[in-house]
Amino acid sequence: MATITIMDPVTRIEGHMRVDVTIDQVDGQSRVVDARSTGTLFRGFETLLKGRDPWDAPIITERICGVCPVSHGMAAVKALDAAGGVVPPTDARVLRNLVLGANFLQSHILHFYLLASLDYVHGPASAPWTPAWDVDMRPGLEGVGGHLVQAIEARRRAHEMGAIFGGRMPSPHTYIPGGFTSVPRANLINDFQGHLNWLADFIRNIYIPDVEALSTVYSDYFSIGQGCRELLAYGVFDLDDTADSNQLLRGGIAKAGSTPTDVTAFNSNSITESVKYSWYDDATDNLSPSSGATNPVDPQDKVTAYSWLKAPRYENRPFEVGPLARMWVNGDYQDGISVMDRHLARAYETLKIAEAMNDWLHELTPGAKVYDNYGIPKEASGIGLTEAPRGALGHWVAVREKKIEHYQIITPTCWNASPRDSNEVMGPLEQALVGIPVENPEQPIEALRVIHSFDPCLSCAVHMMRPDGEPIVLSAGPLMKVG
Ligand code: NFE
């Protein structure tokens, strides 16, 4: 008989997520036969931006999340640069890249050591790591557990490095339309270099070997959690000063099994968001974010829906986004799509970015111009497409009478953890869960490994809670109700 396991909240992610999986016998083995991914809080940022001065957009949207604020700042200024027809000066582009790169490094290291690795190795024998589940934890990975404390230092250093040019971390205030607010100076470049050298050593000598060791011990996870097998990247880290710049990690779409030559360009006009299974007004189903709306409904009035996340689709199909998508589209990693491929691609991407940051640092000219006079257009629109650590991030803005008239944000976790769409097609994470074996429905570690491989951030995807809503039970470890 089928068992429904409810993980609410899913822990070791950012934000509030619930995942329900139905487990049944398939060919004599317990497997997930259905999955539902739910964002349990409403995010109202698009609504509160309406009517504001466009200069507020990077400052406010950076508050969406403390883990990837820099990406939101970057997306907002790119949207406003586009609306104003401005390309920032060279050193502003480089500084934007360096602070964003620092944010990627801290996020990827955080994800592996503090969020994901504890699905595979026991944490220290003290709270909050105990009590732990009695699940398949294989020997041979003591090094990974032993690097937890160093990983915290790595994360601190990456934050400090970003704050050198960002002024503060998280939520730097240096991203402005037309450029950047801090200026490259020789002593700052030196300080940045010191942290970067330390971090590059950590990534090369500790992080990557640890992920490779994990992928050897848990090699069965190369065939678990494939998902929708279509990948999307917008591209990130502009390498020249044109509106259509070359990028360190280029954008494109790819299908599983494709080779680099099969990667094709994407067209942002093909992006829509379905709300059939989301708590939003049905009249806004399948709209482009350029004309989309955020009109929440009372969940009691739409009982067929099950998430505050909308369901972004490209040509009406779900796409996985994230480090694996970026590395695949860029031709850097095309070994496969699975739980372990996601971890490996994320680790290799971390090194690729750190090495590129070293080159960018040398491109800075102390005292160089970092800002071109930016005038808010009276009436214009712009799209800011970039990448956050977790995948493709887009901001869509329209300005009228010099105020924000329209703002829509599609975050990476909306792509990956989306609910079903109006074609009844599941989101990528839901698809990745269906079919996986589960040894013990009361401790479904296999499902958590799949979920964590996407590094979901529900803070980015949804925000705010109803004071009169259902109580949310918080716990130090994953909480299960089995019914
Ligand atoms: Ni809150 Fe975020 C990233 C963005 S994920 S972490 O990376 O955008 O949806």
Side-chain angles (χ1 to χ4, degrees), residues 49-205:
L49 282 162
K50 276 190 187 171
R52 287 191 175 266
D53 189 317
W55 282 86
D56 291 348
I59 305 293
I60 290 178
T61 59
E62 287 198 11
R63 267 68 194 175
I64 285 174
C65 177
V67 176
C68 65
V70 187
S71 306
H72 286 287
M74 179 73 107
V77 296
K78 274 182 157 283
L80 292 169
D81 286 350
V86 167
V87 175
T90 302
D91 283 61
R93 169 179 59 76
V94 175
L95 287 165
R96 285 179 178 182
N97 283 349
L98 285 167
V99 178
L100 182 62
N103 195 225
F104 269 64
L105 267 46
Q106 74 79 21
S107 181
H108 285 0
I109 294 167
L110 158 80
H111 172 256
F112 180 70
Y113 285 99
L114 302 178
L115 306 180
S117 73
L118 296 159
D119 291 340
Y120 304 90
V121 296
H122 285 299
S126 62
W129 294 281
T130 55
W133 280 357
D134 180 19
V135 292
D136 155 48
M137 294 275 189
R138 305 173 195 170
L141 293 169
E142 291 69 24
V144 177
H147 293 143
L148 276 179
V149 173
Q150 257 175 295
I152 293 170
E153 182 184 353
R155 187 170 183 235
R156 174 182 64 75
R157 277 182 174 269
H159 264 327
E160 283 184 18
M161 181 170 72
I164 288 171
F165 293 124
R168 66 195 294 266
M169 198 63 84
S171 305
H173 288 177
T174 44
Y175 287 74
I176 54 171
F180 206 70
T181 62
S182 73
V183 188
R185 292 205 306 265
N187 61 322
L188 300 181
I189 295 171
N190 279 343
D191 290 350
F192 200 102
Q193 183 80 65
H195 284 303
L196 187 57
N197 291 348
W198 189 98
L199 283 157
D201 279 349
F202 176 85
I203 296 161
R204 219 175 264 124
N205 300 319

Side-chain angles (χ1 to χ4, degrees), residues 278-351:
S278 312
W279 289 305
Y280 297 96
D281 183 353
D282 281 326
T284 62
D285 197 26
N286 291 321
L287 293 179
S288 153
S290 304
S291 56
T294 302
N295 298 337
V297 298
D298 188 331
Q300 316 271 0
D301 295 336
K302 193 171 175 183
V303 292
T304 50
Y306 60 93
S307 183
W308 285 111
L309 273 65
K310 298 177 187 173
R313 296 294 185 258
Y314 184 84
E315 293 178 345
N316 295 317
R317 300 196 307 281
F319 275 75
E320 174 176 338
V321 299
L324 176 59
R326 285 190 290 264
M327 294 289 275
W328 193 298
V329 163
N330 208 52
D332 292 319
Y333 184 98
Q334 301 190 321
D335 292 357
I337 298 177
S338 69
V339 166
M340 272 314 140
D341 289 302
R342 289 187 192 101
H343 288 303
L344 280 172
R346 187 177 289 109
Y348 296 142
E349 179 188 75
T350 314
L351 184 60

Side-chain angles (χ1 to χ4, degrees), residues 402-460:
K402 301 199 172 206
K403 297 279 191 246
I404 295 174
E405 184 190 42
H406 171 89
Y407 213 98
Q408 284 289 299
I409 299 163
I410 302 182
T411 62
T413 295
C414 260
W415 282 100
N416 287 337
S418 68
R420 288 152 172 78
D421 58 33
S422 45
N423 294 323
E424 310 299 327
V425 177
M426 293 177 167
L429 188 150
E430 292 179 333
Q431 291 190 36
L433 285 164
V434 171
I436 67 165
V438 173
E439 196 71 30
N440 175 1
E442 293 193 36
Q443 297 192 348
I445 187 69
E446 302 88 345
L448 276 185
R449 288 171 181 158
V450 172
I451 295 167
H452 284 145
S453 73
F454 286 91
D455 190 9
C457 174
L458 278 292
S459 301
C460 275

Side-chain angles (χ1 to χ4, degrees), residues 26 32-33 40 50 55 57 69 102 116 145-146 167 212 233 256 318 335 389 415 418 461 473 480:
V26 179
V32 172
V33 295
T40 54
K50 276 190 187 171
W55 282 86
E212 288 176 341
D335 292 357
W415 282 100
S418 68
V473 183
M480 298 297 135

